[in-house]
Amino acid sequence: MLNHYSLSVVVDLLSLILQCQNGHTLCSTCKTRVQNRCPTCRQELGDIRCLALEKVAESLELPCKYYSHGCPEVFPYYSKLKHESQCNYRPYNCPYAGSECSVVGDIPFLVTHLRDDHKVDMHTGCTFNHRYVKSNPREVENATWMLTVFNCFGQSFCLHFEAFQLGMAPVYMAFLRFMGDENDARNFSYSLEVGANGRKLTWEGTPRSIRDSHRKVRDSHDGLIIQRNMALFFSGCERKELKLRVTGRIWKEQQNSDAAVCMPNLCS
């Protein structure tokens, strides 16, 4: 098994390989480190490539750089780069939307991080009933938001609720993100509902993976969007205070092998 040092050496070899006039070779990465002089004979280095060694280097197979996270794949170098940009074992970014948090890690680590460092509310169960109150709903600023984490079916989900400007119109938006990859997110569905006074708005969809940034999901309008006037109508109180109750549920889509259709598996 290659260690971290040998991996870095091999990766350096896979950049352009140059040679001096006397045939001594080194990689292009090291060229600047030796002030453009051959470390063996001290002759000035030019841009003469050693195509034979480059060909050998290209044929080397290397493990994915996320092998320590569990990825078993081995690739030729240039295929390796493409794989690593999409590897399911690559760490996730923190899904907390209230700041530019730079923490990365696997899902159990991020759940603990959200609870302990960001003080996010944690709930167990596949249904939710949240009330959002704002004393002055006329003040709508971008990134005014709330985040709650739900655990159900052995998975974690992030419920976002926020206010922002959609063009010139102030709106409220609720949406769900899955703490895992996109392929696994497709196994679940969710619904959101808000209403009062005999009226209601309903949204149903598939949670987005946290691989997609919070801003990307929000800007794609992939969730329940409530215009401010409608939100105030639902709130009552002569439209002077925002009091929205958002309810919803998460369910898992089970494949029915006989009928070849997806059957919802509801969580009690």
Side-chain angles (χ1 to χ4, degrees):
M1 174 63 70
L2 293 171
N3 59 31
H4 288 289
Y5 174 76
S6 59
L7 276 176
S8 65
V9 171
V10 172
V11 170
D12 278 347
L13 284 173
L14 292 167
S15 57
L16 295 180
I17 299 177
L18 305 174
Q19 60 184 358
C20 73
Q21 293 181 352
N22 292 324
H24 303 127
T25 58
L26 81 167
C27 71
S28 58
T29 304
C30 292
K31 180 182 178 182
T32 56
R33 300 176 187 170
V34 296
Q35 287 78 48
N36 199 35
R37 289 197 173 275
C38 175
T40 302
C41 66
R42 307 308 298 168
Q43 291 290 319
E44 184 175 354
L45 291 167
D47 294 315
I48 304 173
R49 293 169 60 182
C50 183
L51 299 179
L53 276 183
E54 285 184 9
K55 197 70 175 177
V56 171
E58 288 176 3
S59 68
L60 294 175
E61 291 195 339
L62 300 172
C64 170
K65 71 177 180 180
Y66 301 116
Y67 73 93
S68 61
H69 295 271
C71 182
E73 303 292 345
V74 176
F75 296 94
Y77 178 65
Y78 294 108
S79 300
K80 171 180 178 290
L81 294 179
K82 181 177 180 181
H83 161 80
E84 287 172 352
S85 69
Q86 305 170 346
C87 179
N88 289 339
Y89 291 90
R90 71 191 190 277
Y92 296 86
N93 295 320
C94 172
Y96 190 79
S99 65
E100 296 297 328
C101 183
S102 60
V103 170
V104 298
D106 59 20
I107 298 304
F109 172 82
L110 288 180
V111 170
T112 301
H113 165 68
L114 289 170
R115 183 193 65 205
D116 296 344
D117 298 329
H118 293 300
K119 311 303 180 186
V120 170
D121 288 337
M122 300 283 171
H123 294 270
T124 299
C126 299
T127 61
F128 37 89
N129 186 339
H130 275 38
R131 193 182 189 200
Y132 300 98
V133 178
K134 187 175 177 64
S135 58
N136 187 357
R138 300 294 171 182
E139 296 179 358
V140 177
E141 299 177 357
N142 286 321
T144 301
W145 64 277
M146 295 181 68
L147 172 63
T148 307
V149 173
F150 290 86
N151 183 276
C152 66
F153 297 110
Q155 306 289 338
S156 295
F157 300 82
C158 295
L159 176 63
H160 296 266
F161 182 84
E162 63 182 84
F164 63 99
Q165 295 286 143
L166 183 56
M168 297 298 295
V171 298
Y172 300 94
M173 183 176 180
F175 57 91
L176 196 72
R177 288 201 292 167
F178 173 73
M179 296 189 70
D181 281 313
E182 180 181 358
N183 288 339
D184 294 326
R186 294 194 187 104
N187 294 325
F188 300 92
S189 296
Y190 76 103
S191 64
L192 296 170
E193 183 176 301
V194 61
N197 303 320
R199 309 289 191 275
K200 68 179 179 180
L201 290 175
T202 302
W203 166 268
E204 186 173 306
T206 301
R208 296 280 287 271
S209 166
I210 61 170
R211 295 286 190 204
D212 290 334
S213 70
H214 161 268
R215 181 175 292 276
K216 180 178 180 180
V217 179
R218 191 194 76 179
D219 291 350
S220 68
H221 309 155
D222 193 359
L224 176 65
I225 296 179
I226 312 156
Q227 300 288 337
R228 183 172 65 185
N229 286 340
M230 181 65 72
L232 292 176
F233 173 76
F234 289 150
S235 299
C237 301
E238 298 181 355
R239 303 193 176 194
K240 295 181 180 179
E241 186 178 33
L242 177 72
K243 292 182 178 180
L244 277 182
R245 184 175 298 279
V246 179
T247 61
R249 64 186 178 93
I250 305 167
W251 64 93
K252 187 173 184 179
E253 302 288 356
Q254 285 191 334
Q255 189 72 26
N256 185 323
S257 58
D258 295 329
V261 296
C262 287
M263 304 294 291
N265 178 10
L266 302 181
C267 180
S268 57

